[in-house]
């Protein structure tokens, strides 16, 4: 009698990743993601710096235009009216705003001053942080108020600011600096250090070294640059508050 033989097919299990191979793939993915994120962050920081340099340059361009219309007088850091009327800081000065934004944009339909500033004129890094007053120009840039002539704070009918004829080296004297308030000064040049190296709040008059450890600056002659905390320490050894960077009429 013939016996049928059953053919038995032995199937090998489908190939699969080993644990080691899986770990290698995960490491590769993480590495690529890290490289990509680092590259994007670096590009964003670079782009922020370019925009901020352009904007701070525009502030001084408007300041120069203002001076041309006011017999060489740059926009006062503040303009005190008669007693009881308060003061007008530089970024709300209607004539300066007209130089910065254009005549039509300086006023509202009802004739009142339009002190708003387009977000495109702000420092992207400060705007993105969304801290207090981030959507106002004074959270991005401050006017250097060190040793400005023209009287003391709060005195009626005073305007503190330089004339072009008073500048001894405009190419070395800071006009506007990246900051967290509408004015920046010598006394608060180190407030960004250590635990306070963040955007924080506006209205504290500190210089913001927010661009890779550098603060951006536009000088009275209109050219732009950057300064670090180390530069500030060097200025301290060369005159401190009387250094030409801080005091535009220094000898």
């Amino acid at each position: 009698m013939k016996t049928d033989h059953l053919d038995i097919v032995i199937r090998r299990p489908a190939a699969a990743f080993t644990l080691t191979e899986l770990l290698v793939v995960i490491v590769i993915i993480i590495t690529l993601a890290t490289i990509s994120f680092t590259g994007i962050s670096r590009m964003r920081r670079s782009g922020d710096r370019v925009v901020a340099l352009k904007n701070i340059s525009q502030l001084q361009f408007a300041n120069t235009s203002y001076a041309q219309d006011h017999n060489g007088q740059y926009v006062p850091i503040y303009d005190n009216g008669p007693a009881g009327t308060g003061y007008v800081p530089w970024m709300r000065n209607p004539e300066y705003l007209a130089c910065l934004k254009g005549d039509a944009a300086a006023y509202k339909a009802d004739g009142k001053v339009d002190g708003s500033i387009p977000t495109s004129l702000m420092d992207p890094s400060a705007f993105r942080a969304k801290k207090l007053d981030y959507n106002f120009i004074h959270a991005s840039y401050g006017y250097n108020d060190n040793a400005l002539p023209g009287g003391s704070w709060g005195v009626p009918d005073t305007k503190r600011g330089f004339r072009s004829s008073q500048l001894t080296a405009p190419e070395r004297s800071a006009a506007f600096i990246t900051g967290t308030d509408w004015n920046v000064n010598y006394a608060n040049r180190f407030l960004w250090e250590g635990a306070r190296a963040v955007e924080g709040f506006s209205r504290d008059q500190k210089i913001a070294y927010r661009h890779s450890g550098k603060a951006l600056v536009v000088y009275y002659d209109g050219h732009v640059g950057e300064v670090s905390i180390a530069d500030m320490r060097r200025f301290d050894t060369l005159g401190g508050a009387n250094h030409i960077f801080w005091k535009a009429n220094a000898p």
Side-chain angles (χ1 to χ4, degrees), residues 146-149 162 166-169 173 242-244 246-251:
N146 187 67
L148 288 176
F162 279 111
Q166 295 174 300
L167 307 183
T168 55
S173 301
N242 291 316
H243 187 275
I244 192 66
W246 288 108
K247 189 177 180 183
N249 60 348

Side-chain angles (χ1 to χ4, degrees), residues 8-220:
I8 299 176
V9 178
I10 301 176
R11 299 182 181 277
R12 299 181 62 185
F17 285 115
T18 65
L19 179 59
T20 300
E21 291 171 330
L22 185 59
L23 290 174
V24 169
V25 170
I26 292 173
V27 169
I28 291 174
I29 292 173
I30 292 174
T31 301
L32 291 175
T34 301
I35 293 173
S36 177
F37 178 78
T38 301
I40 292 173
S41 297
R42 186 181 297 113
M43 289 177 62
R44 186 172 68 178
R45 288 195 301 270
S46 178
D48 287 349
R49 180 180 179 278
V50 169
V51 172
L53 282 171
K54 175 183 70 68
N55 290 345
I56 201 171
S57 175
Q58 186 66 23
L59 294 183
Q60 183 56 21
F61 180 81
N63 201 12
T64 301
S65 297
Y66 180 97
Q68 291 172 348
D69 294 337
H70 292 80
N71 195 30
Q73 175 73 59
Y74 291 106
V75 61
I77 192 164
Y78 59 81
D79 185 348
N80 278 331
T85 61
Y87 71 96
V88 177
W90 64 270
M91 71 284 187
R92 293 181 190 151
N93 185 304
E95 293 174 291
Y96 178 75
L97 289 172
C99 294
L100 182 64
K101 303 192 300 179
D103 292 329
Y107 296 92
K108 299 177 182 178
D110 59 5
K112 294 182 179 180
V113 176
D114 184 354
S116 64
I117 301 291
T119 57
S120 59
L121 280 176
M122 298 178 191
D123 186 327
S125 296
F127 187 82
R128 193 182 301 113
K130 288 186 167 49
K131 298 297 182 179
L132 183 65
D133 290 348
Y134 72 96
N135 54 340
F136 291 92
I137 192 71
H138 56 262
S140 293
Y141 313 103
Y143 203 177
N144 174 18
D145 76 348
N146 187 67
L148 288 176
S152 301
W153 175 263
V155 178
D157 295 315
T158 59
K159 300 179 181 181
R160 292 186 59 218
F162 279 111
R163 290 187 178 276
S164 56
S165 60
Q166 295 174 300
L167 307 183
T168 55
E171 74 282 0
R172 298 173 57 201
S173 301
F176 296 95
I177 312 173
T178 48
T180 59
D181 208 347
W182 60 277
N183 58 332
V184 294
N185 57 46
Y186 176 79
N188 294 332
R189 66 200 182 283
F190 295 137
L191 287 187
W192 191 264
E193 287 188 296
R196 299 192 66 178
V198 293
E199 286 301 329
F201 300 101
S202 63
R203 300 195 294 273
D204 55 8
Q205 301 176 324
K206 67 183 177 185
I207 292 177
Y209 303 90
R210 61 171 69 104
H211 292 280
S212 300
K214 302 288 183 66
L216 306 184
V217 55
V218 60
Y219 296 85
Y220 272 99

